[in-house]
Amino acid sequence: RKEVEQDPGPFNVPEGATVAFNCTYSNSASQSFFWYRQDCRKEPKLLMSVYSSGNEDGRFTAQLNRASQYISLLIRDSKLSDSATYLCVINSGYSTLTFGKGTMLLVSP
Amino acid sequence: NAGVTQTPKFQVLKTGQSMTLQCAQDMNHNSMYWYRQDPGMGLRLIYYSASEGTTDKGEVPNGYNVSRLNKREFSLRLESAAPSQTSVYFCASSPDRGRGYTFGSGTRLTVV
């Protein structure tokens, strides 16, 4: 099993839709979790950290399920500007973060 | 707020040439990293420096060397470029190991 796995997509949704991505991880000792966003031909940027109790930032909600070893990202009321690749990122207790390969989201008018 | 600055932004090399990619951060971060990103492969760690004076290999270190010149600067050197090193290279920094990273805007390198 790969350390961090994501559905590569693309997820094609209309504006205003709600969309959710999951990410599974293999190391049960993983300590911290993040979602990054990467626009085409740009650098990844931190979208939000994921906390055990779940957390929300505007239209974005992140959840952690330690028992099943996955994190999720929910985007409500999708905007055209949400089109990007979303990277799941895990700190497994090593010196560096582990990045998933990303899920591509395409929001259409 | 410059954050993480990478130079150059674009580079074309001939096979066998050498070059150094420069990275500097102004956030007083302890840890710095070099990644490469290829289509379908995601971000792969080349080298990292957990703190000033230390460097460690990542997932794909072959063909590269690094220097943590001081707390601000972390350079990546290709001694003899190969077409397989054609990629987008990202430098990143973080306050400490394993915490959220700030990335530079990347260097697009083509080796012909």
Side-chain angles (χ1 to χ4, degrees):
Chain A
R1 182 178 178 183
K2 295 180 182 175
E3 195 162 354
V4 179
E5 290 198 72
Q6 296 183 252
D7 182 339
F11 284 58
N12 288 283
V13 301
E15 272 187 293
T18 296
V19 61
F21 313 130
N22 281 347
C23 164
T24 58
Y25 60 94
S26 60
N27 188 342
S28 59
S30 296
Q31 299 171 351
S32 51
F33 309 86
F34 310 89
W35 284 103
Y36 276 69
R37 171 196 169 123
Q38 186 172 23
D39 294 299
C40 187
R41 299 181 67 80
K42 299 286 189 181
E43 73 272 23
K45 292 184 178 179
L46 178 64
L47 179 65
M48 58 196 303
S49 300
V50 186
Y51 302 119
S52 298
S53 56
N55 49 296
E56 192 172 301
D57 183 1
R59 297 181 293 108
F60 298 84
T61 300
Q63 297 279 355
L64 167 63
N65 186 317
R66 285 193 183 274
S68 300
Q69 294 183 208
Y70 74 84
I71 66 171
S72 63
L73 178 67
L74 179 78
I75 305 175
R76 291 181 298 278
D77 188 22
S78 298
K79 312 291 185 190
L80 295 176
S81 57
D82 293 333
S83 296
T85 296
Y86 292 84
L87 306 176
C88 169
V89 185
I90 309 289
N91 176 2
S92 298
Y94 305 126
S95 297
T96 62
L97 301 179
T98 302
F99 286 77
K101 295 182 179 180
T103 297
M104 182 181 289
L105 171 65
L106 299 172
V107 182
S108 55
Chain B
N1 250 359
V4 179
T5 303
Q6 287 184 239
T7 55
K9 294 191 183 301
F10 301 94
Q11 184 70 50
V12 179
L13 289 179
K14 294 181 179 178
T15 297
Q17 286 185 318
S18 62
M19 78 162 295
T20 299
L21 281 64
Q22 307 288 351
C23 175
Q25 52 92 9
D26 63 0
M27 296 172 286
N28 201 36
H29 284 174
N30 288 315
S31 303
M32 298 185 74
Y33 313 84
W34 276 105
Y35 284 87
R36 61 178 288 173
Q37 188 173 38
D38 303 289
M41 300 296 292
L43 284 160
R44 293 185 292 170
L45 182 65
I46 305 171
Y47 271 94
Y48 68 100
S49 171
S51 60
E52 187 178 357
T54 69
T55 61
D56 286 285
K57 295 179 180 179
E59 182 185 353
V60 288
N62 291 346
Y64 306 95
N65 285 300
V66 291
S67 295
R68 183 75 183 266
L69 303 169
N70 47 55
K71 191 171 186 179
R72 291 186 64 249
E73 298 173 288
F74 188 38
S75 63
L76 178 72
R77 182 160 178 85
L78 286 70
E79 291 292 350
S80 178
S84 61
Q85 294 178 305
T86 293
S87 188
V88 180
Y89 291 84
F90 289 105
C91 177
S93 70
S94 65
D96 290 291
R97 299 179 301 178
R99 291 179 59 186
Y101 295 177
T102 300
F103 284 85
S105 59
T107 296
R108 282 168 174 73
L109 175 67
T110 302
V111 183
V112 298

